Amino acid sequence: MMNIEEVDMFETIRRAKGKLVGFHVADNNRMAPGMGNLNWSKIIDTLHEIGYNEVLSVEFCSPLDRTPANPYPNSIDENPIDLSPEQKKFLEDHGSTSVSEEFYTMLTRKSFDTLSNLINNTN
């Protein structure tokens, strides 16, 4: 949300120097880092610039598009198993479903691939 709420998210990161204890990441489309339009190289460089060397927690929020236009085949698990009654009720009450293990794994892998190279290649 920083990318839409702040005038300059990089300057906002700089102003937070010494105060950050965690940094949540997702791309501008709420997908995994690297699947949208954010400049991850500049974000990580700015975090390095302020000496931030703590947690990056990925919070992608994948879409549950049931239409034929869904660009992510096999992303929805139409028959999730091993749900508790509470989990099943939550999904039903919210008109939602579960993402497939394949899709979740792809999002996790994309997050790792995008961020690990940048984190490990400090300038």
Side-chain angles (χ1 to χ4, degrees):
M1 299 266 289
M2 183 185 287
N3 67 307
I4 59 173
E5 292 179 351
E6 301 296 335
V7 173
D8 181 340
M9 72 175 171
F10 305 105
E11 186 54 34
T12 300
I13 293 169
R14 288 182 190 99
R15 284 195 322 266
K17 181 178 182 175
K19 299 175 184 132
L20 287 177
V21 294
F23 197 83
H24 300 275
V25 298
D27 222 309
N28 66 296
N29 56 3
R30 299 296 293 144
M31 294 292 281
M35 295 181 75
N37 294 316
L38 291 181
N39 184 341
W40 289 101
S41 180
K42 187 169 182 179
I43 292 169
I44 299 300
D45 286 349
T46 305
L47 290 169
H48 283 147
E49 176 186 321
I50 67 166
Y52 182 77
N53 191 27
E54 301 297 327
V55 174
L56 291 181
S57 58
V58 178
E59 290 188 311
F60 51 75
C61 191
S62 58
L64 295 172
D65 185 350
R66 292 184 182 90
T67 72
N70 183 350
Y72 306 104
N74 304 316
S75 62
I76 297 174
D77 184 352
E78 294 291 351
N79 298 301
I81 57 172
D82 297 328
L83 294 179
S84 70
E86 294 82 7
Q87 291 169 323
K88 185 176 187 296
K89 181 167 178 20
F90 178 87
L91 291 176
E92 290 168 352
D93 287 352
H94 291 86
S96 191
T97 190
S98 178
V99 297
S100 69
E101 189 69 28
E102 173 186 344
F103 189 52
Y104 185 83
T105 299
M106 182 277 294
L107 292 169
T108 303
R109 171 59 55 194
K110 180 65 176 170
S111 299
F112 176 80
D113 290 347
T114 298
L115 297 172
S116 65
N117 289 329
L118 297 170
I119 291 167
N120 294 322
N121 292 320
T122 60
N123 296 333

